Structure formats: structure tokens, C-alpha cells
Amino acid sequence: MSELYAAWVGREESRTEYVNVNTVAAMAATLDWEKTPAQGEALPPGWQWLFFNGAARRSGLGTDGHPQRGGFLPPIELPRRMWAGSRIRYLNDLPIGEQATRQSRILKVENKVGKRGSLWFVTVQHTTTCQQRDCIVEEQDIVYREATPVTTATSASATPVKPARHEEIAQWGREVWPDTTLLFRYSALTFNGHRIHYDQAYARQEEGYPDLVVHGPLTATLLQQFALEYGDGRQLSSFDFRGVSPLFVAHPFQLEGREADDGSVDVWARGPDGELAMSAKATYR
């Protein structure tokens, strides 16, 4: 670790806000739920990402729509950043309508060199408390990487490059059709200005994606609900996920899962060509 970024390890910030019932209702409508979770009920898993998001001024945004480097996170200069995965522990229900606090702390900053060049990994621990109880503890991995050279072929193609197939045998599955409205609404609800989710020209010409990118946390939220549906009424105790390859708007993907020998459930998302997009493990309480 460079001495420059070492100074960020241990840095903390805190955000407090109400788990707003109107935001919850908007999320339920976005996911097309028939029943909206009511005030006083437990916030569904993954929906905590609707809250505690900073409101950077428009003049403080980078060209990608993210807040400019600096502040709480280290000012790593690599141009591309992504949420690579998380390890989440659900300890107690987070009641809708109550005031909650999220305490964040940078655990580590690491540099690695991969096939595509230099990578920086920042791990942040978020602890969400309500009514003097720890409700959610999450370790989030953020990856900074170099820009991928954009060619005419990559920016104009409408078909994603195929990664390796996922050969896990599923016991159950469901198809998801991500459209532009779903991506727009989720960006609005999470106050996420990253242009890869709504600006097709930017996604293709600047970042080399074939189309708009489905949000990783949205996929992780869908997988958590998917795991609950096959949990026999049990609530999640933990959910660990890792992003593998992107999913794109208007390209249907599959949520799949199977029971593991230890009583947990393995769930994953596969792209339209069978490629693994996200893998996860859920346990219950």
C-alpha cells in the first residue's frame, strides 16, 4: 500500500436519516411488487442501499457522473470504479419509518496488478444501527481500474462478449427483463449519477460497453429476494455476493439457485448467453 493511501485506512464517516416510507413505496413500485412494505415492518434486504447516499453537488461530479475523487474515500486516480461485491450480516430488523445511522469505516486499501493493468481495492465496513441495536453490518469492496481501450467494434456492438459459462445445476430459476425504466428508477432512488446506467452514448463510446449496464446492487437485491422466496419463510442472516460480468438493458437474464449441503442457498445471475454475472451465498436465521 502506498503511504498516500495508507492515511485513509481507519477513516470514518456517519450518516443519519429516516428509513422513509415513501422511498420504500417507490422501490416496491419499481420492482412491481403487489404489496408495499408498511411503516414499522422490516426493511427488505438490499433496500438499505436506497439510504445513506451522499448528495454531491452537480459541480462536484466527475465526467462519469460519480462524485469527484477525495472526501471519505481515497483519491485514487484510476478512471473506472465499480462495486465488486459485499459480505452482509443481517443481525436485527431495520424498521421502516424509524431513524437509523450508518457508520462507515475504511478497513483496507490494496493494490494488485491484473491482466488489464493496475487495480486498487478499497474495503469499507458499514454498520447500520437503529433503536440502539446493530441491524446490518456490511463489508463492501470497491475496485478502481484503468480504462479499457474503446474501439469501434466494442462501442457499436449490441451483443456482450461471452465470458465463461456457469455450469452450476439450478433447482429453481426465474427470468428478469431489465428495461430502461427500471434502470432509470433505480438510479433515481439510489441517487446514482453514474452515466453507464442511463447514457447509452457514454456507456458505449467512453467505457466500451455494448449498452446500458444493469446496476450491480440491483441484481444483488433481486437475488436476495429470490433467496427469500425459497427460504421457507426464514429471514436472511447473511448474504455474500461477488460481481463477475455485467448485465445489460433489454437483455433478459436468469436468477437461479440451489440448496447447499450446509443448509445455505447458492444463488446466481446468468446473462442471456449463459455467462455468470453474479454469484452469491445466502444463510438464514
Side-chain angles (χ1 to χ4, degrees), residues 167-173 226 255-258 266 268 270:
E167 302 298 344
E168 188 81 40
I169 299 175
Q171 291 177 306
W172 56 83
F226 186 65
L255 305 180
E256 297 181 344
R258 63 177 293 107
D266 294 321
W268 59 89
R270 289 193 300 109

Side-chain angles (χ1 to χ4, degrees), residues 101-147:
T101 297
R102 190 186 73 177
Q103 186 74 25
S104 303
R105 183 174 185 267
I106 297 178
L107 297 183
K108 59 183 177 181
V109 182
E110 296 180 313
N111 179 248
K112 298 180 180 179
V113 178
K115 294 180 179 179
R116 296 185 178 180
S118 180
L119 299 169
W120 281 94
F121 293 83
V122 179
T123 301
V124 183
Q125 182 184 72
H126 301 293
T127 301
T128 302
T129 60
C130 181
Q131 300 172 340
Q132 299 183 331
R133 298 189 303 174
D134 289 347
C135 298
I136 305 169
V137 178
E138 174 183 359
E139 288 189 6
Q140 181 183 107
D141 297 323
I142 304 170
V143 178
Y144 297 75
R145 63 178 177 83
E146 297 175 358

Side-chain angles (χ1 to χ4, degrees), residues 5-187:
Y5 299 144
W8 263 258
V9 175
R11 180 168 293 199
E12 296 184 346
E13 74 168 7
S14 179
R15 298 182 186 273
T16 298
E17 64 179 89
Y18 284 91
V19 182
N20 188 281
V21 66
N22 293 326
T23 302
V24 170
M27 181 63 169
T30 296
L31 298 183
D32 203 25
W33 282 26
E34 292 185 2
K35 181 180 181 298
T36 298
Q39 182 159 331
E41 294 182 359
L43 186 72
W47 294 31
Q48 69 271 16
W49 298 323
L50 304 178
F51 304 98
F52 313 111
N53 299 310
R57 294 175 55 189
R58 186 160 58 91
S59 59
L61 301 178
T63 56
D64 59 0
H66 268 167
Q68 293 176 1
R69 305 298 194 268
F72 172 62
L73 292 172
I76 296 172
E77 293 299 326
L78 295 178
R80 304 289 182 252
R81 47 185 156 171
M82 58 178 288
W83 183 348
S86 285
R87 295 160 296 284
I88 312 166
R89 302 294 176 265
Y90 292 105
L91 306 177
N92 292 287
D93 290 345
L94 181 58
I96 297 168
E98 295 294 329
Q99 188 180 70
T101 297
R102 190 186 73 177
Q103 186 74 25
S104 303
R105 183 174 185 267
I106 297 178
L107 297 183
K108 59 183 177 181
V109 182
E110 296 180 313
N111 179 248
K112 298 180 180 179
V113 178
K115 294 180 179 179
R116 296 185 178 180
S118 180
L119 299 169
W120 281 94
F121 293 83
V122 179
T123 301
V124 183
Q125 182 184 72
H126 301 293
T127 301
T128 302
T129 60
C130 181
Q131 300 172 340
Q132 299 183 331
R133 298 189 303 174
D134 289 347
C135 298
I136 305 169
V137 178
E138 174 183 359
E139 288 189 6
Q140 181 183 107
D141 297 323
I142 304 170
V143 178
Y144 297 75
R145 63 178 177 83
E146 297 175 358
T148 301
V150 178
T151 66
T152 302
T154 59
S155 61
S157 172
T159 303
V161 176
K162 293 184 183 180
R165 290 183 60 86
H166 186 51
E167 302 298 344
E168 188 81 40
I169 299 175
Q171 291 177 306
W172 56 83
R174 178 174 8 116
E175 188 173 67
V176 177
W177 280 79
D179 57 23
T180 53
T181 304
L182 174 63
L183 270 59
F184 167 79
R185 282 185 161 192
Y186 191 76
S187 286

Side-chain angles (χ1 to χ4, degrees), residues 201-267:
Y202 173 85
R204 288 182 170 180
Q205 297 168 16
E206 297 297 325
E207 300 220 11
Y209 291 115
D211 215 324
L212 299 177
V213 179
V214 177
H215 310 69
L218 174 57
T219 303
T221 298
L222 294 174
L223 282 173
Q224 288 177 80
Q225 183 59 39
F226 186 65
L228 283 177
E229 292 171 4
Y230 295 92
D232 298 324
R234 295 172 293 172
Q235 298 301 305
L236 289 185
S237 173
S238 68
F239 188 82
D240 301 347
F241 73 91
R242 180 176 65 92
V244 179
S245 62
L247 296 166
F248 300 99
V249 71
H251 292 269
F253 60 90
Q254 298 288 329
L255 305 180
E256 297 181 344
R258 63 177 293 107
E259 295 180 5
D261 294 337
D262 60 2
S264 64
V265 168
D266 294 321
V267 291

